[in-house]
């Protein structure tokens, strides 16, 4: 009976220990495995997955992915000739492998961000299903090793909306991918629970009286808000629908804050705020596409051959061509994730400091001291639109509920930022404002719910 937070930023599993949820240590990852995967080639992911499955699941996958498996087998032979292993890497190991040589291999961070994307072709959905299944298989194996037991029942967290566009159609697409992947790796009983509600369950365990709670879960890819009626007398109920007074969600999350900070602090070092020789401002579309790691279409466009030619012309037209040359390097060496990771590390550093320096030596070996400055005020300015949207989600939930919250419970990694947290708190000065376990609240709540419904 597991709670599984397959998050945009991290994956975590929980199990009840007595009357308290306990996060499971995932070997070298610890309690939280960053949601990232690295493969020597995209084509071999399904081949690796096939080797992790039981006989029946393996036979089903073989029937459904025959062409992809053949293509992957051909690539594995080529890799073997070059002395390269066909192994997959997960979490921080995946990021480290990518950073060793961004131009090689296949790296993906936060695949959950793409599951509800509109316009995905069947082969793209199949690829995401294989990626999710590979990650689930990995963490399930580690959890089973840690607990010394087979695991078959799971409650998986889900946002209110996976994608802003196409609403329920996008949600169904994403839930189907997660369900198929979970079933493939050996989960028999699979249930879902809204992530903000799960986070609320954990908060509820500490309440002494009935309270109206606005739960704000700022995840890596989505922000979800729920107004819940909570209290010790309500906890035993298996049907909490009448206690859910309102909820809303949108595809705004920690990744978006990282992207906006990258645009504001890093991209000027690549020429975004510079001028053309004609005196006109630099076109910014390629700069935005370069860091849009949660947008498949934007990344496809940025790394296209046509955009490579456009950047070459842009360099010739630029007043400071040496800056545009750095953007060309991003295109040539596939550095998008590295840029956004630099911004993410700066955002984390700004939780404890008013300012920091973003080292960018990897952008140009001839100019090893290149860097960018970042501060809390810059982060707040960069994230203004996202914060405004989150406030609108909170207000929409309050209006649905028809009452004001007595407490606001904020969770998710982005809630660690004092600048962002203070901005939200200022909008509701009359409500008690509580910041929860930034990563563990959702997992703990999912674990409590799993124990409740499967016992």
């Amino acid at each position: 009976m597991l709670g599984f937070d397959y998050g945009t930023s991290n994956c975590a599993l929980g199990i009840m220990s007595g009357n308290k949820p306990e996060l499971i240590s995932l070997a070298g990852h610890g309690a939280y495995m960053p949601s990232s995967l690295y493969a020597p080639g995209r084509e071999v992911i399904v081949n690796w997955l096939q080797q992790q499955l039981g006989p029946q699941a393996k036979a089903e996958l073989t029937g459904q992915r025959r062409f992809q498996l053949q293509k992957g087998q051909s690539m594995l032979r080529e890799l073997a000739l070059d002395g390269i292993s066909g192994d997959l890497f997960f979490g921080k190991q995946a990021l480290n492998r990518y950073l060793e040589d961004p131009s090689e291999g296949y790296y993906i961070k936060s695949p959950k961000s793409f599951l509800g994307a509109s316009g995905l072709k069947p082969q793209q959905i199949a690829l995401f299903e294989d990626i999710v299944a590979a990650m689930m298989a990995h963490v399930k194996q580690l959890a089973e090793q840690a607990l010394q037991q087979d695991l078959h029942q799971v409650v998986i967290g889900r946002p209110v909306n996976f994608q802003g566009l196409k609403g329920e159609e996008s949600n169904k697409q994403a839930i189907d991918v997660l369900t198929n992947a979970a079933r493939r790796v050996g989960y028999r009983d699979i249930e879902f629970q809204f992530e903000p509600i799960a986070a609320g369950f954990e908060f509820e365990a500490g309440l002494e009286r009935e309270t109206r709670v606005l739960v704000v879960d700022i995840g890596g890819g989505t922000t979800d808000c729920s107004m819940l009626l909570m209290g010790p007398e309500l906890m035993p109920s298996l049907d909490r629908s009448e206690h859910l007074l309102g909820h809303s969600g949108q595809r705004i999350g920690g990744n978006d804050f990282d992207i906006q900070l990258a645009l504001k602090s890093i991209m000027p070092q690549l020429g975004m705020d510079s001028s053309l020789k004609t005196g006109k401002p630099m076109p910014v579309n390629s700069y935005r596409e370069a860091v849009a790691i949660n947008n498949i279409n934007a990344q496809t466009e940025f790394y296209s051959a046509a955009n490579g030619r456009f950047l070459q012309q842009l360099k010739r037209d630029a007043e400071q061509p040496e800056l545009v040359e750095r953007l060309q390097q991003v295109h040539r060496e596939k550095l998008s994730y590295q840029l956004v990771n630099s911004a993410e590390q700066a955002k984390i550093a700004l939780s404890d400091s008013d300012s920091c320096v973003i080292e960018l030596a990897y952008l140009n070996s001839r100019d090893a001291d290149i860097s960018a400055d970042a501060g809390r005020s810059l982060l707040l300015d960069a994230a203004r639109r996202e914060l405004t949207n989150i406030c609108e989600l909170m207000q929409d939930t309050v209006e649905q509920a028809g009452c004001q919250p007595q407490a606001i419970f904020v969770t998710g990694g982005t809630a660690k930022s004092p600048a962002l947290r203070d901005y939200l708190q200022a909008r509701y000065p009359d409500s008690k404002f509580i910041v929860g376990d930034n990563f563990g609240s959702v997992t703990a709540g999912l674990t409590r719910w799993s124990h409740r419904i499967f016992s």
Side-chain angles (χ1 to χ4, degrees):
M1 295 179 287
L2 293 174
F4 187 3
D5 183 10
Y6 181 74
T8 305
S9 298
N10 294 283
C11 294
L13 286 168
I15 194 167
M16 292 300 288
S17 176
N19 62 352
K20 290 186 177 181
E22 181 178 295
L23 270 62
I24 301 168
S25 178
L26 302 172
H29 301 295
Y32 305 101
M33 185 190 85
S35 300
S36 55
L37 174 151
Y38 176 90
R42 184 176 65 181
E43 295 81 1
V44 305
I45 295 173
V46 67
N47 299 74
W48 182 92
L49 175 62
Q50 184 194 47
Q51 300 306 310
Q52 315 306 312
L53 304 180
Q56 183 177 344
K58 181 181 289 189
E60 290 177 357
L61 183 68
T62 301
Q64 294 172 2
R65 304 280 197 274
R66 193 172 301 277
F67 172 74
Q68 291 93 331
L69 286 164
Q70 291 174 350
K71 192 174 180 181
Q73 197 60 50
S74 176
M75 185 172 193
L76 284 170
R77 286 194 291 268
E78 293 180 16
L79 291 169
L81 291 174
D82 294 330
I84 300 173
S85 167
D87 288 339
L88 269 55
F89 296 87
F90 303 89
K92 290 182 180 178
Q93 288 184 333
L95 176 62
N96 291 338
R97 293 289 296 209
Y98 161 74
L99 293 177
E100 285 176 9
D101 190 350
S103 64
E104 294 293 330
Y106 176 80
Y107 175 76
I108 183 167
K109 176 186 177 183
S110 309
K112 184 180 177 182
S113 297
F114 304 112
L115 302 187
S118 57
L120 292 182
K121 298 176 182 178
Q123 58 267 35
Q124 290 176 307
I125 294 175
L127 172 63
F128 283 123
E129 188 176 298
D130 294 341
I131 289 170
V132 173
M135 295 174 71
M136 285 187 173
H138 179 67
V139 297
K140 185 172 185 284
Q141 289 166 5
L142 295 179
E144 288 177 337
Q145 291 170 12
L147 299 174
Q148 291 296 295
Q149 60 177 289
D150 293 333
L151 302 170
H152 300 295
Q153 297 176 313
V154 66
V155 173
I156 302 173
R158 57 153 293 183
V160 175
N161 288 308
F162 284 86
Q163 185 90 355
L165 303 174
K166 295 198 173 179
E168 283 310 306
E169 183 181 334
S170 293
N171 289 339
K172 183 181 184 304
Q173 176 179 289
I175 291 295
D176 286 347
V177 169
L178 290 169
T179 302
N180 292 340
R183 186 169 290 121
R184 179 158 283 156
V185 303
Y187 289 115
R188 290 197 302 261
D189 300 321
I190 304 164
E191 298 290 340
F192 290 88
Q193 180 58 270
F194 289 124
E195 289 159 353
I197 295 178
F201 287 151
E202 183 59 16
F203 177 66
E204 184 178 41
L207 289 177
E208 297 180 354
R209 61 180 181 275
E210 188 173 296
T211 306
R212 294 188 304 274
V213 183
L214 178 61
V215 181
V216 184
D217 179 19
I218 308 176
T222 58
T223 293
D224 290 312
C225 301
S226 292
M227 181 80 88
L228 295 159
L229 196 59
M230 296 184 164
E233 295 181 357
L234 306 179
M235 282 184 63
S237 176
L238 290 177
D239 183 3
R240 300 301 299 270
S241 56
E242 63 179 301
H243 306 147
L244 177 59
L245 307 180
H247 68 250
S248 59
Q250 201 173 53
R251 195 168 176 260
I252 310 164
N255 284 348
D256 297 286
F257 290 97
D258 302 337
I259 289 167
Q260 293 305 318
L261 184 58
L263 282 169
K264 202 76 172 179
S265 63
I266 297 176
M267 284 319 212
Q269 303 299 322
L270 283 70
M272 190 175 77
D273 295 341
S274 62
S275 301
L276 301 176
K277 292 175 182 177
T278 60
K280 293 181 178 180
M282 179 68 64
V284 299
N285 198 48
S286 288
Y287 291 92
R288 295 187 181 279
E289 291 174 343
V291 293
I293 60 170
N294 55 0
N295 186 319
I296 294 174
N297 294 330
Q299 287 279 279
T300 300
E301 180 62 29
F302 178 74
Y303 286 108
S304 67
N307 192 52
R309 293 189 292 272
F310 171 77
L311 295 180
Q312 186 63 38
Q313 183 62 49
L314 197 64
K315 178 183 173 182
R316 288 194 288 266
D317 295 341
E319 186 70 34
Q320 296 174 279
E322 70 278 6
L323 298 184
V324 180
E325 187 177 345
R326 295 170 184 168
L327 185 61
Q328 285 184 294
Q329 184 187 355
V330 174
H331 178 273
R332 186 172 60 253
E333 299 180 11
K334 300 180 181 178
L335 297 177
S336 289
Y337 282 107
Q338 193 160 5
L339 286 176
V340 178
N341 180 65
S342 294
E344 180 185 10
Q345 297 311 308
K347 181 188 72 175
I348 293 170
L350 292 173
S351 295
D352 300 316
S353 177
D354 289 332
S355 63
C356 68
V357 175
I358 306 174
E359 299 295 342
L360 301 169
Y362 58 84
L363 277 179
N364 192 333
S365 59
R366 292 174 298 174
D367 190 10
D369 60 351
I370 178 175
S371 63
D373 295 324
R376 287 183 180 177
S377 59
L378 181 68
L379 172 62
L380 197 60
D381 185 43
R384 189 77 59 180
R385 184 181 62 182
E386 284 69 26
L387 288 168
T388 299
N389 289 341
I390 290 173
C391 287
E392 290 174 354
L393 289 177
M394 294 169 68
Q395 185 59 32
D396 179 46
T397 305
V398 169
E399 290 174 0
Q400 287 181 40
C403 56
Q404 290 294 315
Q406 295 166 299
I408 298 177
F409 178 64
V410 183
T411 186
T414 302
K416 289 182 67 176
S417 169
L420 307 184
R421 188 173 65 236
D422 292 347
Y423 181 93
L424 298 178
Q425 186 171 6
R427 283 3 184 221
Y428 291 87
D430 297 329
S431 297
K432 185 179 180 181
F433 203 88
I434 305 102
V435 176
D437 179 347
N438 296 302
F439 293 117
S441 298
V442 171
T443 312
L446 294 171
T447 302
R448 288 183 183 276
W449 190 245
S450 178
H451 181 72
R452 204 171 298 173
I453 65 173
F454 289 133
S455 293

